[in-house]
Amino acid sequence: MANERSFFEEFVNMDVSKWVEKKNGLDYLEWGAAITLLKNSYPLSKIIIHENEDGRPWFTDVASNSGWVKITVTVPELGLEQTDILAIMDFKNNALPIEKCDAVAANKAIRRCLTKVIAETTGIGLTLYGKSERTS
């Protein structure tokens, strides 16, 4: 547990400002930087992009008329695994209706979700989401 805490503190306190991008007034960590930072420290880390029963890398829900992606990140060196989902959204962060969910929109959502899951699992870039604060 001490090892998990120390790696998380290291990553959540990491200065990621040189990789931060801005879109629609929001700061975000570029997905390639998130992967690089993760793999540089934990090279055995794996990224799983879940697929639906038809082999598409996104899921749809008729009831909500929307789609989402599902990503899992594992860090075997630390025995960690985290899975999360993210809606397929337009440039204003509104969920796209099913008829507009396509490979391009899903790919963008996959990259956003991947960065989110890396932040949740390791702390890399976590301070960019909501009101997260660095640890002391």
Side-chain angles (χ1 to χ4, degrees):
M1 187 70 152
N3 187 28
E4 288 180 26
R5 181 73 180 153
S6 61
F7 97 85
F8 188 84
E9 286 178 1
E10 172 190 342
F11 283 128
V12 81
N13 290 313
M14 179 186 293
D15 179 12
V16 296
S17 60
K18 68 181 179 181
W19 296 288
V20 172
E21 303 283 333
K22 190 174 277 294
K23 189 171 196 173
N24 296 330
L26 300 173
D27 290 338
Y28 69 95
L29 184 63
E30 196 273 327
W31 65 268
I35 294 171
T36 300
L37 292 167
L38 175 65
K39 290 283 201 170
N40 278 342
S41 294
Y42 298 102
L44 298 179
S45 298
K46 291 186 177 27
I47 297 159
I48 300 165
I49 301 169
H50 296 271
E51 297 177 345
N52 71 11
E53 61 279 352
D54 296 327
R56 275 192 332 226
W58 74 89
F59 302 83
T60 55
D61 178 41
V62 175
S64 65
N65 190 36
S66 61
W68 71 92
V69 297
K70 182 177 178 181
I71 305 290
T72 298
V73 170
T74 62
V75 184
E77 297 96 326
L78 297 171
L80 297 175
E81 179 176 286
Q82 178 77 28
T83 300
D84 208 340
I85 62 171
L86 187 69
I88 300 174
M89 299 177 276
D90 64 16
F91 67 96
K92 292 182 179 179
N93 291 336
N94 297 312
L96 282 179
I98 289 174
E99 61 274 5
K100 292 193 177 185
C101 292
D102 61 15
V104 173
N107 184 56
K108 289 177 184 178
I110 287 167
R111 300 305 169 206
R112 288 182 193 128
C113 190
L114 175 58
T115 305
K116 177 183 172 190
V117 176
I118 290 172
E120 292 170 345
T121 308
T122 65
I124 295 171
L126 190 59
T127 56
L128 297 174
Y129 296 93
K131 297 185 186 281
S132 301
E133 293 183 12
R134 294 177 181 205
T135 62
S136 50

